[in-house]
Amino acid sequence: MEKKQRFSLAIQIFIALALGILVGILLQGKGDFTKAYIQPIGTIYINLLKFMVVPIVLFSIIDGTISLGDIRRVGSIGWKTFVYYMATTAIAVVIGIVFATLFKGFFPLLQTAGLKYEAKSANFMEVIVAMFPKNILEPLLKADMLPLILMALLIGVGILLSGEDGKRVGKGVKSIYTVVMKMMEIIIRLTPIGVFCLMTNVIAINGATIVSSLGIVLGVAYLGYFTHIVIVYGLSVHLFAKISLMKFLRGMMPAMTTAFTTSSSNATLPLTIQCSNDLGADPSVSSFVLPLGATINMDGTAIYMGVNCLFIAACYGVNLTIPQLISVVLTAVLASIGTAGVSGAGMIMLAMVLTSVNLPVEGIALIAGIDRLFDMGRTTLNITGDATAALAVSQWDRAAKAKKAKKAN
Ligand code: ASP
């Protein structure tokens, strides 16, 4: 019964997406209308998802840490996850750079004189310092993900190390987490409505721009996104989760469509958790790996940075050297860690990558108008990558446990 309902939700979301595109095309040029009357309903849906993010991240990470049972397991899973995330992100930037290099000759060379772009804070050390919470309420109130994750980890580890008292608190956390997941299920049922409204507005506003001059740059980014899914995720789910890419993508559909329309990994987190668990991820692993991934693992954002760095360089008539390209890879990996899982964050962090190779950050203004269209694809990739990690790490963890049990016998 349960399965059948899920399946129909996925189909409903897909129909909503298609209808949204259709209605968006019909409403081309009526962006004012869609913005005033259709987008707000989508915003309500996003708000409801965002409303769940803090309790989900907080309780899933505390619960995930406690469920891992001992500190060594937290450490071992933490390291595996981190290495997986960084390696796939580095491959993603390289894919972005390779495609941008191949298609560079087709990029429109837009006028750069008179561009203005106000770069927001994109200093790496500031990002690191901001990770550490200085007050217990601030991360909760501001939904600041990295400090929130660190706080939750610390609480989880504290509970694990506190013996009987810790066990009692842990039981309470588990019960609260169950309630939070139920609330999340209720909101997830509204996804088709949210997806329809968000999609209609995006297409009504941006539809015409897609075919204009920046279409080719957008196309290159999407080619990169697609390649990364087929090669990296295809291999990962085949090798580690032992399922086919098709099965994986089918299972991930509700989360991927939500990411595509909301452009926010954080807002999509509830669905990413649900889909990954349905696909066989160990809930104690995924409740630890996925909130972390929504915050630090951004493969789509990395591809976007690679492509746009080369595009902006081309517009300024700059040819990046190999050492500069290596610097792009390294900074893009770091920048993607610092990118918040919210709509538009990747564009702000692009400033950091441009600065690393002395390109003017004003170049961002060239793509700012259609950033949302890049963002939809990169967010979809971001959360899909997180799910492959949840499946892979679950599998490694199961194998490690089986080995340990064998040794014990
Ligand atoms: N919107 C993306 C996300 O939430 C981040 C970005 O802007 O690249 O994953």
Side-chain angles (χ1 to χ4, degrees), residues 262-267 294 297-298 300-302 304-305 339-348 371 375-376 378-380 382-383:
T262 60
S263 294
S264 166
S265 299
N266 287 352
N297 183 46
M298 310 256 166
T301 304
Y304 155 87
M305 286 175 175
T339 305
V342 296
S343 177
M347 191 176 80
I348 296 167
D371 187 66
D375 203 357
M376 296 166 82
R378 62 184 194 245
T379 309
T380 307
N382 291 347
I383 62 107

Side-chain angles (χ1 to χ4, degrees), residues 216-262:
I216 178 85
V217 188
L218 196 64
V220 170
Y222 273 81
L223 195 62
Y225 298 158
F226 182 75
T227 310
H228 194 77
I229 291 186
V230 174
I231 298 183
V232 180
Y233 301 157
L235 265 179
S236 171
V237 294
H238 175 75
L239 289 178
F240 307 129
K242 315 262 186 270
I243 54 174
S244 74
L245 180 62
M246 268 335 220
K247 182 171 178 208
F248 170 70
L249 293 178
R250 226 179 298 132
M252 285 301 292
M253 238 244 339
M256 290 173 82
T257 347
T258 306
F260 189 69
T261 44
T262 60

Side-chain angles (χ1 to χ4, degrees), residues 105-170:
F106 299 98
F107 283 165
L109 298 180
L110 302 183
Q111 193 49 256
T112 52
L115 283 184
K116 272 208 190 88
Y117 177 79
E118 209 48 61
K120 299 216 182 98
S121 154
N123 176 312
F124 186 65
M125 273 329 276
E126 278 173 22
V127 173
I128 300 278
V129 172
M131 274 170 58
F132 295 87
K134 56 178 179 293
N135 153 333
I136 201 161
L137 289 180
E138 222 173 68
L140 301 176
L141 295 177
K142 290 194 183 158
D144 249 346
M145 286 304 134
L146 282 172
L148 186 62
I149 288 176
L150 275 181
M151 185 167 100
L153 262 175
L154 195 60
I155 298 175
V157 171
I159 293 176
L160 270 183
L161 296 178
S162 301
E164 278 313 308
D165 285 329
K167 274 197 185 121
R168 270 196 294 274
V169 178

